[in-house]
Amino acid sequence: MASGQLDGAALGRVEDAVSTHSRPSELKITDLRVAVVVGSGYHPIIRIDTNQGISGLGEVRDGGHAEYALQFKSMLLGQNPCNVDMIFSALRRYGNWGREGGGVSGIEIALWDLVGKAYGVPCHQFFGGKHRDRVRIYGDTPAPAQPTPEGYVEAVLRRKALGLTFIKFDLPPRFFNAVDGALVGQATKHEYDLAKAWRAPGAGRGIKLSQKGIAAAVDVVRAVREAVGPEISLCIDHFGEGFVTADEAIRLGHALEPFDLAWVEDPLPWHDFAGHKKVADALLTPVAAGEELYLWDGFREPIETRAFDILHPDLLTSGGMLETKRIADYGERFGLATALHACCTPIGLMANVHCGAAISGLVAVEHHGLDNPNWGELVTGIDPDYLEGGYVTVPDAPGLGVELNEEAVEAQLRHPGTLFQPTEEWNRIRIGFERRSRG
């Protein structure tokens, strides 16, 4: 045996003496399965299995279909999960905005979880390491059943009682519907308006937001600001997205500026970059947007035109952890900060925490599961007091730093008895490009 070389027995003794976690060069993907749980919505949890008994966890964005991930199974089988960028490059062409980006994004997260477990490294190390040991959380607060100033104050104070110092609350179309005289005119009738179940009539056309409606919103925001004090960061969501025009959003935004909001979120439909820029340029309050955008490519125009003041990707749509880091880094070149939109299980939140730790210009990460008492039970690895002081500590354990509590997952399944059922029907080609190329 040549000097400096080890025979097999000696090599085995060395490997027994250190933590090798796996043989990464020999890893192969053997399966992809999904379990859909009920939380703030429907959440398809992804599990990617390998030939070495280690698995990676991810999830499709809330409300997305499990098939958004399963359609890629045939492309994943036999691949080495450590080749994340190669696999991502192959899959990315088949994703799209909104929930349709959830399959690519969820698989990307599961791959990084696998790589971290294979090498014994926390995910944030793959994105350049940490800028912070703890990531700030902002708490989502749905509109109360009684959308009065008193109802809003009660809801927001419950968030403050959790220790949060950054709180978002909704001013949705139904808030203005509930205020007598908040809307003027008559909506143009649409016999087949699929959106009317959750948006105000007229979708911003034929009926307008009145001065009384604006005054009602001012009363709510004033009451909340007075109740929480100046040390709490506040932002609002859901008053836009087709309900108001850009000019109405500007009127409302100007009326709310005395209350020093951290941002107003999604004042217009996600694809209207010119409209967002009009609102952002007119307001002193920052505009945050981008939760429906897919990949760096989707953010390039609003970043370069400064259509948004704060980038607001949802990494379960935007392409996963590394792609979201790339988006945030590019935005920082233009002086734009990043906040991370998130409505997910603890798996998705931990992905946001690892990604957020690696983003130098991070403002905060959303937590959308605060009203679900069973939220944290889905995994092990999260302490009961994980939200202490409104921050989550960045895990140093391998991968995402959490593992599934399958008993709790089974109890929260959308359809009982469907925990990671076999998915052999997805082993064959399901993607159009490959189907065509193979005749």
Side-chain angles (χ1 to χ4, degrees):
M1 183 173 61
S3 176
Q5 293 182 337
L6 293 174
D7 60 21
L11 179 60
R13 288 194 295 274
V14 171
E15 291 182 338
D16 287 341
V18 297
S19 178
T20 58
H21 299 275
S22 74
R23 293 180 182 273
S25 63
E26 298 174 12
L27 267 176
K28 300 295 180 185
I29 295 173
T30 58
D31 207 353
L32 168 64
R33 299 193 182 193
V34 179
V36 182
V37 298
V38 179
S40 301
Y42 298 130
H43 305 275
I45 296 173
I46 298 169
R47 192 187 74 195
I48 296 179
D49 298 330
T50 68
N51 60 338
Q52 296 182 22
I54 57 174
S55 300
L57 300 174
E59 70 177 276
V60 177
R61 186 171 168 185
D62 62 298
H65 299 296
E67 288 78 9
Y68 290 155
L70 289 170
Q71 66 178 332
F72 298 116
K73 183 179 179 182
S74 64
M75 299 174 68
L76 295 173
L77 293 176
Q79 297 292 336
N80 186 326
C82 298
N83 298 324
V84 181
D85 197 55
M86 182 273 288
I87 296 173
F88 181 76
S89 296
L91 304 187
R92 69 195 296 271
R93 73 190 77 176
Y94 303 113
N96 210 331
W97 64 273
R99 270 64 183 174
E100 291 189 23
V104 174
S105 303
I107 288 170
E108 193 262 10
I109 292 167
L111 292 174
W112 282 122
D113 187 36
L114 257 170
V115 176
K117 291 172 180 174
Y119 286 98
V121 175
C123 283
H124 59 261
Q125 289 296 152
F126 299 117
F127 316 134
K130 297 184 291 185
H131 287 271
R132 56 194 61 82
D133 293 324
R134 299 196 305 154
V135 168
R136 193 179 188 187
I137 295 296
Y138 77 86
D140 177 81
T141 310
Q146 296 298 321
T148 61
E150 295 78 13
Y152 271 96
V153 167
E154 181 181 353
V156 172
L157 286 179
R158 286 198 297 269
R159 296 292 188 253
K160 185 178 180 182
L162 296 174
L164 295 173
T165 62
F166 205 132
I167 303 169
K168 180 175 78 175
F169 59 97
D170 296 345
L171 280 177
R174 69 178 177 86
F175 166 79
F176 297 98
N177 281 336
V179 175
D180 185 34
L183 302 171
V184 296
Q186 295 185 21
T188 302
K189 294 181 179 179
H190 300 281
E191 297 297 332
Y192 304 104
D193 183 3
L194 298 178
K196 66 184 177 183
W198 64 280
R199 289 188 179 173
R205 301 294 182 269
I207 189 168
K208 294 185 70 65
L209 186 62
S210 71
Q211 192 59 44
K212 187 172 182 180
I214 292 174
V218 168
D219 288 344
V220 165
V221 179
R222 178 188 293 114
V224 171
R225 171 54 76 195
E226 290 176 352
V228 301
E231 72 277 8
I232 301 296
S233 297
L234 293 174
C235 51
I236 61 171
D237 188 14
H238 282 317
F239 72 85
E241 295 190 337
F243 166 53
V244 296
T245 64
D247 289 336
E248 289 174 295
I250 292 169
R251 287 177 62 210
L252 180 56
H254 279 317
L256 298 178
E257 283 183 341
F259 309 111
D260 300 313
L261 296 173
W263 69 68
V264 293
E265 185 174 323
D266 296 326
L268 297 172
W270 67 268
H271 49 79
D272 186 0
F273 299 152
H276 274 91
K277 179 171 175 54
K278 180 177 180 179
V279 175
D281 287 347
L283 297 183
L284 298 178
T285 301
V287 169
E291 69 181 72
E292 305 290 356
L293 299 181
Y294 180 58
L295 304 180
W296 176 90
D297 313 66
F299 279 86
R300 180 176 178 178
E301 181 181 343
I303 288 174
E304 293 180 351
T305 62
R306 292 181 172 84
F308 310 154
D309 297 306
I310 296 174
L311 305 181
H312 200 216
D314 188 311
L315 60 75
L316 297 183
T317 283
S318 58
M321 292 186 284
L322 181 55
E323 187 75 358
T324 302
K325 157 77 168 166
R326 290 167 175 155
I327 291 165
D329 287 348
Y330 190 63
E332 191 172 1
R333 298 184 186 183
F334 292 80
L336 303 178
T338 296
L340 296 180
H341 179 275
C343 179
C344 50
T345 74
I347 297 165
L349 183 68
M350 286 300 103
N352 276 277
V353 167
H354 282 278
C355 181
I359 294 173
S360 62
L362 181 77
V363 179
V365 169
E366 184 173 17
H367 194 326
H368 214 293
L370 296 168
D371 294 320
N372 181 356
N374 301 317
W375 180 88
E377 296 176 3
L378 291 172
V379 298
T380 59
I382 295 182
D383 294 331
D385 59 349
Y386 71 96
L387 205 54
E388 183 180 3
Y391 287 75
V392 173
T393 299
V394 182
D396 285 323
L400 293 175
V402 294
E403 293 292 347
L404 285 180
N405 176 358
E406 292 198 358
E407 183 177 347
V409 173
E410 191 149 20
Q412 298 185 46
L413 288 173
R414 181 181 183 185
H415 300 295
T418 58
L419 179 67
F420 296 124
Q421 292 294 296
T423 56
E424 278 83 2
E425 69 273 20
W426 294 94
N427 289 0
R428 61 186 179 87
I429 298 298
R430 290 289 178 129
I431 299 299
F433 178 81
E434 279 75 9
R435 187 181 300 119
R436 291 192 301 271
S437 68
R438 298 189 184 194

